[in-house]
Amino acid sequence: RERVCIMAGMYRRGSIVRVKMHNFLTYTDAEVFPGAKLNIVVGPNGTGKSSIVCAICLCLGGSHKSLQRAEKYADFVKKGKTEGFVEIELYQAAEDHSNMTVKMTINTNGASNWEIDGYHESKKKVADRMKELDIQVDNLCCFLAQDRVVQFASLDSIRLLQETEKAFKIEHYENHMRLVTQKKNEKRLTKETEKNDKILSTKEAEKQGLEEDVKRMRERDSMKEKIGILKKKKLWLEYKQLKDSAKVIKARWQAAQDEERKLREAQKPLRQQVAKAKIRFETARDNAAKVARTVRGVTSQWSNITGHLDNLENKVEEAYEDIESFRKNAENVERSRAKKEEEIKNFRIELSEINMEEFEEQRRKLWEKKQLLTRERSRINKSKASLNRHIQNLRVDIQRRQKAISQIPDQKMLRLQRAGRHEEEIFKWVNSHRNEFKGEVYGPIFNEIKVKSNLAAMYLENSVNQKNLKLYVTTNREDWGILDKKLSREINKKVDVYCVTKMEDNARRDLDLTEFRDKGVSWLDESIEGHPVVLQALRNVGNIHNIAVTDRYLDSAHDIIKKTKNGPGLRTLLNVKERISVKFSYYSGDCSIAENGLRNPSLLGNEDGGVDRDLLERELEERNEKFAEYMEKMNEVELKCKELDEPLNDVIMKIKAMKGQEIKVKKLKRAIRTAEEELQDLQATTDIEASISQKEKQILRMNRQRLATSSKLLETAKKMNKLSHQENTTVLEQAQARSKYDYVKVNIQQCDSDLKIKVQEAKEAAQEYKQAKRDQDQAKAKAQRAAPLRQYKDKFIEEWVPEDLEEIEHMIDNLQLRLENISKDDSIFARYESLEKEIKGLKRKGDQQKEELEKARAEIEEKKMKWLPNIKLMANRISKAYSKHFRDMGCDGKIEVKEDEDFEKYGLEIWVRFRRGAALQKLDKHTQSGGERSVSTMLYLLCLQEVTGTPFRVVDEINQGMDSKNERMIFNRIVASCAMLPSKDDNKEMSKLSPQYFLVTPKLLPNLEYPENADISVLCVYNGIGMLPHDQWNMKCVSEQR
């Protein structure tokens, strides 16, 4: 802190004066105070140098993806902790030019938040504030993290220009991108304009070719128009003709009406006579009908009386027949009574022969035996029903599990689908050509193995690369050649093949895991099942027999990792969600422990969707065994039922036999009872003589009724004679009236015939007039609709239009004939009009496009004149510094702007020459060596130091590819460019001060030069287990001890 205060005047605005880390990556608590100029961060690999770089990048709004070290912010929290933070103090970065503090807090739940001077701000607000200060932690030219060095070295000239623009002045980059966008727009407009012009010329040519046809079509349209006018004129002439015809018909109709009226007056007296004769006839007819109804009533009465008399005679005859029957039945009753008495006697004798007491006792015993057997059968039935329920439940359970197993998808096909169509085609080809191989062919490996869990699948895919998992395995070297050649020739596919020529009975382990087994540690190959040949191939290519894994997360995983090179413990352990590996320094033997996350499996995941197929199969086997056990018990119960059914059926048959005997007894008793009742009825029969006497009295009474009915019949006969005379008189009167009425009626019929003719004539004339009037109205309406007179009046009186209907028809025929000679094609005219519209639209569109294109080109030229000089100026400044650095080395170098018509292809090219006499060559990975590219890249970054306005710059391990000579030279250049303090006479402004520089490296060469007037801060990082906390260090004591 004292040094920060002393060097305060040497810091650029926005430089870092303090970095504090808490529970961040490898640090529990650490605080760093960088110098104003060159800051060298040095320490062994894995001690936390790059953690400081990560802290600066993330806290100042950089993307965690740009660091390429973790997938999410939570991964930057120290292992075993739930939350951490980074706090950075920036020099005079606040609006009042006081120091600004930016703090980033992250936790393992994935939450992250930022604060500026104690106030919560969004990440975007932090990024915007850093942009104002020209801090660019995502720019490779300003912030080159360890894992991005290779990315920077591979930048092409286009990307290099863009990154340099960002570092030099962000406005230049933004103007460049605007020019790129506008150039794309200009290209689009140019293409659209050319396309529009091409379409326009095509349309105009097509239109010119149609003009002659259109002329003929217009002449045809003129003829059609004339025909239309003539047809319309014809309609009005037809209407006039119909109107004249209607007047003639109307006069004829009126004359017919007058004649009809005169004839009706002449026939009036005769019609009156007919009416009187008709009245007399109808009166006589009504009287005759009345007398006839009276006659029909008397006739009906005569019929009723005669019917009643016939009925009485029949009843008298029946009574005589009954008397005769009674005398015959008296003899039959005596015989029936004797027969019934004999039947009753026989029934009682048959009933007395049956012993009822013995019968009842035998029946009771049989019923008791039946109840006993029935209860036993019921008990067995209950047991059978219970077994049946168990069997049904088991059958349903078995079917459900069989269905579940059948619905589990084919793991091999799923894995092949995940691997891609390429692998599917190879697999199908190998399967169809297996008979062509000398030995067995297995593969791909991922389809021949079975992992015991999803965790084991993740371990395997993180330990063996997918290329090896897709290997095909053979046991014969000839098959290797067959696979490679035939696949390439027949289906144009390449396949990797591994040949197993030697099998090992026991895998050779690097370590005995006995002491770690209780913690759930095992070898990876123990979690994999498959054919021995496939497993041997997997051990050979993936060393899975020497990869230790856990079956649960171990918090104490670090305790079983090696601490010394030759000490006990594991070098690598896969611990559920992380891979822990230890490396030992080649020089010092010191260890560094790396922890990396594990990716989820993509080929060998749980294809059953969480369903354990083995568990289902075991459960299915258990239920099948239980089902067999229950079926055996059911067979035993069925056997017992059969043994019990035989005596039970015997008892039931005996009971049925006794039931027949019982029914017989009941029938005998019922027969005796019925016979006794019939005997009583016969004894109670009425005396025959009394019945005969009663019938004779009935005969006497009916004869008296016959006499009275005969008297009534005589009176009715007299009445009928009187009415018959009266009926004859009325019929005669009706005949006379009818004769007179028919006479006058004949006379009037002739008159009606004459009148009917006149009426018909008048009616026909009226109908004819109505039709003529209707035709006239329709013709007028038709003409009015087709050609309103006001509209066409002037056209109808033109000189060429005839006034005669025949002449019009003749002219229409002539025009129609000429019209038929010109072929009809409405599409030609429609196409011509469409082309006119399209050409007009295309011309308008082309004018607009050309105007837009000219405007776009003018804007591009204007912006280019503002942008390109600045870029060339920037490149010249960098090139001067770059050339100077190379001349001091005895080499040559320069920076050039690569121009192009397309702003997207503008680039910045680095040209270098490391050997005398050689020509300048463009820097690329094919021409220069790795060390030469590193020197060239580092010098380019140093040149940016002098021209950019960024407050600080970071370079992490750029010197790893250099030899000692180049590394020493580059270090001296860095010191000269970044660390030298201005003299008292310089009086440099704050904006002209060189930016702060962070050089991160695992080592420094001995005997480097550190000038006295240079501001160099060295941060020695040696973070690790057992180190003294930073706040307990006493640098004074350390210096004294040295």
Side-chain angles (χ1 to χ4, degrees), residues 834-956:
S834 174
L835 284 171
E836 284 185 329
K837 292 179 183 178
E838 288 178 15
I839 289 169
K840 188 177 179 181
L842 287 169
K843 286 180 177 179
R844 186 170 57 251
K845 183 180 177 183
D847 293 339
Q848 291 175 355
Q849 287 175 341
K850 287 171 183 175
E851 185 180 346
E852 286 180 20
L853 183 59
E854 291 300 324
K855 185 179 178 181
R857 284 172 176 168
E859 288 179 0
I860 289 171
E861 193 61 31
E862 182 184 353
K863 287 184 180 177
K864 179 182 177 182
M865 295 306 294
K866 292 179 181 179
W867 169 75
L868 188 56
N870 290 325
I871 296 304
K872 288 183 176 180
L873 181 63
M874 174 193 75
N876 288 336
R877 290 179 61 185
I878 298 171
S879 185
K880 285 179 183 179
Y882 198 68
S883 297
K884 184 179 181 302
H885 283 302
F886 266 80
R887 284 196 301 273
D888 293 344
M889 293 165 47
C891 303
D892 196 8
K894 67 176 181 177
I895 307 296
E896 287 183 352
V897 176
K898 184 187 76 171
E899 297 187 36
D900 194 278
E901 290 183 2
D902 192 347
F903 292 102
E904 199 171 13
K905 296 179 181 178
Y906 265 73
L908 206 60
E909 293 180 340
I910 301 175
W911 292 80
V912 294
R913 176 173 55 81
F914 286 94
R915 296 163 190 82
R916 290 181 182 179
L920 282 170
Q921 292 179 314
K922 190 167 69 172
L923 183 68
D924 59 43
K925 61 182 179 180
H926 303 293
T927 307
Q928 289 79 20
S929 65
E932 289 172 344
R933 290 200 305 275
S934 298
V935 170
S936 302
T937 301
M938 194 64 200
L939 288 176
Y940 183 79
L941 293 174
L942 285 175
C943 293
L944 291 178
Q945 186 83 359
E946 301 174 12
V947 297
T948 58
T950 183
F952 64 86
R953 304 176 72 232
V954 177
V955 177
D956 192 353

Side-chain angles (χ1 to χ4, degrees), residues 190-200 842 849:
T190 303
K191 286 182 181 178
E192 289 178 357
T193 304
E194 291 173 354
K195 183 180 179 182
N196 190 74
D197 291 342
K198 187 176 180 180
I199 294 171
L200 179 60
L842 287 169
Q849 287 175 341

Side-chain angles (χ1 to χ4, degrees), residues 402-549:
Q402 287 173 340
K403 185 178 180 181
I405 291 170
S406 67
Q407 289 176 348
I408 295 172
D410 187 351
Q411 294 184 13
K412 290 190 175 182
M413 290 310 296
L414 277 176
R415 290 177 180 177
L416 285 169
Q417 289 168 9
R418 290 176 180 172
R421 189 175 179 181
H422 176 85
E423 292 298 329
E424 268 192 273
E425 290 179 9
I426 293 173
F427 179 77
K428 289 177 181 177
W429 186 92
V430 172
N431 267 355
S432 62
H433 292 76
R434 287 193 179 277
N435 59 337
E436 299 177 17
F437 301 122
K438 306 291 184 182
E440 286 294 329
V441 176
Y442 307 93
I445 286 180
F446 68 78
N447 223 24
E448 296 285 351
I449 59 174
K450 181 176 182 181
V451 289
K452 294 183 178 178
S453 66
N454 209 36
L455 183 62
M458 182 170 66
Y459 286 156
L460 182 59
E461 288 200 33
N462 279 273
S463 302
V464 181
N465 61 46
Q466 284 203 2
K467 183 178 179 182
N468 286 336
L469 287 175
K470 293 178 181 179
L471 284 173
Y472 278 77
V473 182
T474 69
T475 55
N476 189 298
R477 289 194 179 276
E478 291 183 21
D479 291 338
W480 187 346
I482 292 171
L483 265 175
D484 186 42
K485 291 177 183 177
K486 286 200 172 184
L487 271 172
S488 178
R489 187 172 61 250
E490 293 186 15
I491 62 173
N492 196 24
K493 302 290 182 186
K494 290 288 185 181
V495 65
D496 294 317
V497 185
Y498 185 84
C499 182
V500 176
T501 56
K502 183 180 178 182
M503 295 289 295
E504 296 179 1
D505 295 335
N506 296 311
R508 289 178 291 182
R509 313 286 188 185
D510 292 343
L511 182 69
D512 186 4
L513 287 183
T514 305
E515 58 179 309
F516 306 123
R517 293 281 184 182
D518 58 341
K519 294 183 179 181
V521 180
S522 61
W523 296 113
L524 177 55
D525 64 335
E526 295 173 358
S527 302
I528 303 167
E529 296 177 356
H531 194 277
V533 173
V534 177
L535 294 179
Q536 185 64 51
L538 203 50
R539 290 191 189 101
N540 293 350
V541 299
N543 199 32
I544 60 172
H545 56 294
N546 282 317
I547 298 175
V549 297

Side-chain angles (χ1 to χ4, degrees), residues 319-422:
Y320 281 119
E321 289 175 357
D322 289 341
I323 291 171
E324 186 64 26
S325 177
F326 287 155
R327 288 192 175 101
K328 290 179 179 179
N329 285 338
E331 298 174 0
N332 294 332
V333 167
E334 283 301 325
R335 286 195 297 272
S336 297
R337 185 183 295 119
K339 187 177 179 181
K340 288 294 177 186
E341 288 176 351
E342 184 65 27
E343 284 179 3
I344 292 169
K345 181 179 178 182
N346 293 333
F347 288 153
R348 284 176 175 166
I349 291 169
E350 189 176 356
L351 184 62
S352 64
E353 291 175 354
I354 299 171
N355 188 345
M356 292 305 297
E357 291 181 1
E358 184 181 345
F359 175 79
E360 289 295 335
E361 179 65 20
Q362 188 178 359
R363 188 173 66 172
R364 183 184 61 76
K365 288 179 180 180
L366 286 172
W367 272 105
E368 288 177 355
K369 187 174 181 180
K370 181 187 175 185
Q371 288 175 355
L372 182 65
L373 292 171
T374 303
R375 280 195 296 271
E376 180 63 20
R377 179 60 189 270
S378 178
R379 184 185 65 77
I380 293 172
N381 284 344
K382 286 180 181 179
S383 176
K384 183 179 178 181
S386 175
L387 280 172
N388 199 35
R389 280 195 302 274
H390 285 301
I391 289 169
Q392 290 300 325
N393 291 338
L394 274 174
R395 184 176 284 113
V396 171
D397 201 8
I398 288 168
Q399 290 173 353
R400 187 168 60 249
R401 277 166 172 74
Q402 287 173 340
K403 185 178 180 181
I405 291 170
S406 67
Q407 289 176 348
I408 295 172
D410 187 351
Q411 294 184 13
K412 290 190 175 182
M413 290 310 296
L414 277 176
R415 290 177 180 177
L416 285 169
Q417 289 168 9
R418 290 176 180 172
R421 189 175 179 181
H422 176 85

